[in-house]
Coordinates of all heavy atoms in Angstrom, one line a residue:
V105 N 11.4 26.8 14.9 CA 12.3 27.9 15.3 C 13.3 27.4 16.4 O 14.5 27.4 16.2 CB 11.5 29.1 15.8 CG1 12.5 30.2 16.3 CG2 10.7 29.7 14.7
L106 N 12.8 26.9 17.5 CA 13.7 26.5 18.6 C 14.1 25.1 18.5 O 13.2 24.2 18.1 CB 13.0 26.8 19.9 CG 12.6 28.2 20.2 CD1 11.8 28.3 21.5 CD2 13.8 29.1 20.3
T107 N 15.3 24.8 18.8 CA 15.8 23.4 18.8 C 14.9 22.4 19.5 O 14.6 21.3 19.0 CB 17.2 23.4 19.4 OG1 18.1 23.9 18.5 CG2 17.7 22.0 19.8
P108 N 14.3 22.7 20.7 CA 13.5 21.7 21.4 C 12.2 21.3 20.6 O 11.7 20.2 20.8 CB 13.2 22.3 22.7 CG 14.2 23.4 23.0 CD 14.6 23.9 21.6
V128 N 15.1 26.5 11.1 CA 15.9 27.3 12.0 C 16.7 26.3 12.9 O 17.9 26.1 12.6 CB 15.2 28.3 12.9 CG1 16.2 29.1 13.6 CG2 14.3 29.2 12.0
A129 N 16.1 25.7 13.9 CA 16.7 24.9 14.9 C 18.2 24.5 14.6 O 18.5 23.7 13.8 CB 15.9 23.6 15.1
A130 N 19.1 25.3 15.2 CA 20.5 25.3 14.7 C 21.5 24.6 15.6 O 22.7 24.7 15.4 CB 20.9 26.8 14.6
T131 N 21.0 23.8 16.6 CA 21.9 23.0 17.4 C 22.5 21.9 16.4 O 21.7 21.3 15.7 CB 21.2 22.3 18.6 OG1 20.6 23.3 19.3 CG2 22.2 21.5 19.4
F146 N 21.2 26.6 9.3 CA 22.6 26.8 9.6 C 22.8 26.0 10.9 O 21.9 25.5 11.5 CB 22.9 28.3 9.8 CG 22.2 28.9 11.0 CD1 22.9 29.3 12.1 CD2 20.8 29.2 10.9 CE1 22.2 29.9 13.2 CE2 20.2 29.8 12.0 CZ 20.9 30.2 13.1
M148 N 25.0 26.4 14.7 CA 25.6 27.4 15.6 C 27.2 27.3 15.4 O 27.8 28.3 15.3 CB 25.2 27.2 17.0 CG 23.8 27.7 17.4 SD 23.3 29.2 16.6 CE 24.6 30.4 17.2
Y174 N 20.7 26.8 26.5 CA 20.1 25.6 25.9 C 20.9 25.3 24.7 O 21.9 25.9 24.4 CB 18.6 25.8 25.6 CG 18.2 26.7 24.4 CD1 17.4 26.1 23.4 CD2 18.6 28.0 24.2 CE1 17.1 26.9 22.2 CE2 18.3 28.7 23.1 CZ 17.5 28.1 22.1 OH 17.2 28.9 21.0
P176 N 21.5 25.5 21.3 CA 22.3 26.3 20.4 C 23.3 27.2 21.2 O 24.4 27.5 20.7 CB 21.3 27.1 19.6 CG 20.0 27.0 20.4 CD 20.1 25.7 21.2
F226 N 25.6 34.8 22.1 CA 24.6 34.2 21.3 C 23.3 34.3 22.1 O 23.2 33.9 23.2 CB 24.9 32.7 21.0 CG 23.6 32.1 20.6 CD1 23.1 32.3 19.3 CD2 22.8 31.3 21.4 CE1 21.8 31.7 18.9 CE2 21.5 30.8 21.1 CZ 21.1 31.0 19.8
L227 N 22.3 34.8 21.4 CA 20.9 34.8 21.9 C 20.0 34.5 20.7 O 20.3 34.9 19.6 CB 20.5 36.2 22.4 CG 21.3 36.7 23.6 CD1 21.0 38.2 23.8 CD2 21.1 35.9 24.8
P228 N 18.9 33.7 20.8 CA 18.1 33.4 19.7 C 17.4 34.7 19.2 O 17.2 35.6 19.9 CB 17.1 32.4 20.2 CG 17.1 32.6 21.7 CD 18.4 33.1 22.1
A229 N 17.1 34.6 17.9 CA 16.4 35.8 17.3 C 15.2 36.2 18.1 O 14.5 35.4 18.7 CB 15.9 35.4 15.9
D256 N 22.5 36.3 15.0 CA 21.1 36.2 15.6 C 20.8 37.4 16.4 O 19.6 37.8 16.6 CB 21.1 34.9 16.5 CG 21.6 33.7 15.8 OD1 22.9 33.7 15.5 OD2 20.9 32.8 15.5
Y306 N 17.2 35.9 8.4 CA 17.7 34.6 8.0 C 16.7 33.5 8.1 O 16.8 32.4 7.6 CB 19.0 34.2 8.8 CG 18.8 34.2 10.3 CD1 18.5 33.1 11.0 CD2 19.0 35.4 11.0 CE1 18.3 33.1 12.3 CE2 18.9 35.4 12.4 CZ 18.5 34.2 13.0 OH 18.4 34.2 14.4
M307 N 15.6 33.7 8.9 CA 14.5 32.8 9.0 C 13.8 32.7 7.6 O 13.5 31.6 7.1 CB 13.5 33.2 10.0 CG 14.1 33.6 11.3 SD 14.0 32.3 12.5 CE 14.9 32.9 13.8
Ligands
PHB1 C1 17.5 27.3 18.1 O1 16.7 27.1 19.0 O2 18.1 26.3 17.6 C2 17.7 28.6 17.6 C3 16.7 29.6 17.6 C4 16.9 30.8 17.1 C5 18.1 31.2 16.6 C6 19.2 30.3 16.6 C7 19.0 29.0 17.1 O3 18.4 32.4 16.2

Side-chain angles (χ1 to χ4, degrees):
V105 175
L106 300 175
T107 287
V128 186
T131 306
F146 64 107
M148 287 318 303
Y174 78 120
F226 162 76
L227 302 168
D256 312 69
Y306 58 92
M307 314 257 173

